[in-house]
Amino acid sequence: MHVTRNGAGSADGEPLVVVFERWATTRGVENSSVKQYRTMLDRTVAPFFGADGIRAVTSSQIEKWVEWMVHSRGYKPATIRFRFNILRGVFSWAMEQELADTNPCKPVALPVSSARTYRDQRAEVHIPSTETVLAVIAAAPERYQEMLWLMAGCGLRLGESMGLGRDRISFSHRLVTVDRQVACDRDTGSGRYGSMRLRHVKWREDGERGRRVPLPDVVALALRRHLRDYATWGEEELLFSNVTGTGLLYTYYWYGRIWRPTLAAAGVDYFKPHSLRHFYAASLLSQGVSITEVSAWLGHTSVSFTERYYSALMPDAPDRARLAIDGALGAGDQGAATRGMPGLRGVASA
């Protein structure tokens, strides 16, 4: 649904859906984001608000919209919070553009707290076992096995694996540079975004170096084998093309003809390929790798985002903290550790 009607002359202001469309398409955001925003507009905003003017929308109406998403749409708390925050951003932008006088979202309290939402999100993170990961890789078609190695062994997203070129791999420095991805968001000329293209990684600008990820020996061996057995494709020397070697690997083909048959062949229940990235993060954190480093290698926008999802994967962190402080303060010499500290003598043996 693309809204074109204009209610600028109404006392209620332009229709909310018109303002939403303008907010989504005129701020220079990525095509993939525009596509996502339009999906929200079509499925969540337009069906509820219809032709309501933006100035007429009240906090009470926003509360009813949230209830509608809970009961009529059955959205999870994380989904509701995401859509609510988007609409709040639309109203804030509309106020800056003098299209709205107030932001009716601000007084509204969501039915589930942000802390509960984040706990639920963490609970939904699926981390396959090492045995499952190895079984899935072994069951995959040979020409695409290395994509799974990159996701499980370097933390790449699916689109980033599809967009990896030969010049982004440094075997001598044991690093992979991740700065491009294959995305289904090229403008088709109709105002829709659905065609495949190779572009820079989301949240990064053209020309940025991208993130540099350590290349483990097991993944390097797999990549060398792939380069030996299969030709690269295109000017960018992409490692993974479609099965005919004539174009980009389409996501729908990957899921339907590669991923699902691979899981079936491995005899494991369905899980998303993104779970291989969770496996990567969990493996690093369980070995005591700094969450700051893990966040950078995953390409997250902030460490807090990484902590939100993976803090529960560091069960030995308290033990490491105790050992670190015991070592720093000389726990091996209780007398020295407590000397000069009134009230602490004898506590260690209490």
Side-chain angles (χ1 to χ4, degrees), residues 6-143:
N6 191 325
S10 170
D12 292 339
E14 293 186 73
L16 172 60
V17 290
V18 172
V19 176
F20 193 111
E21 171 86 4
R22 192 182 310 155
W23 171 87
T25 58
T26 62
R27 296 176 303 117
V29 298
E30 285 286 352
N31 289 350
S32 57
S33 295
V34 174
K35 182 179 178 181
Q36 184 180 38
Y37 296 149
R38 278 178 165 163
T39 298
M40 175 182 166
L41 174 62
D42 292 349
R43 298 179 180 177
T44 311
V45 178
F48 185 86
F49 293 99
D52 290 353
I54 190 169
R55 295 182 188 275
V57 176
T58 64
S59 296
S60 175
Q61 196 172 3
I62 297 295
E63 291 175 349
K64 292 178 181 178
W65 175 61
V66 171
E67 293 176 0
W68 175 77
M69 287 193 290
V70 172
H71 300 295
S72 296
R73 286 293 193 257
Y75 289 149
K76 295 180 179 179
T79 303
I80 292 172
R81 181 168 297 277
F82 174 77
R83 281 160 171 69
F84 175 82
N85 287 336
I86 292 296
L87 190 60
R88 182 168 58 183
V90 172
F91 274 101
S92 294
W93 178 84
M95 289 177 64
E96 294 174 0
Q97 304 298 313
E98 298 183 350
L99 299 172
D101 300 318
T102 61
N103 189 332
C105 295
K106 286 189 175 181
V108 175
L110 294 180
V112 179
S113 69
S114 58
R116 171 63 185 277
T117 299
Y118 297 151
R119 287 198 299 271
D120 290 345
Q121 287 176 324
R122 284 199 300 270
E124 293 173 2
V125 171
H126 172 69
I127 304 170
S129 67
T130 301
E131 293 75 17
T132 296
V133 171
L134 293 176
V136 170
I137 292 175
E142 288 187 1
R143 69 177 295 145

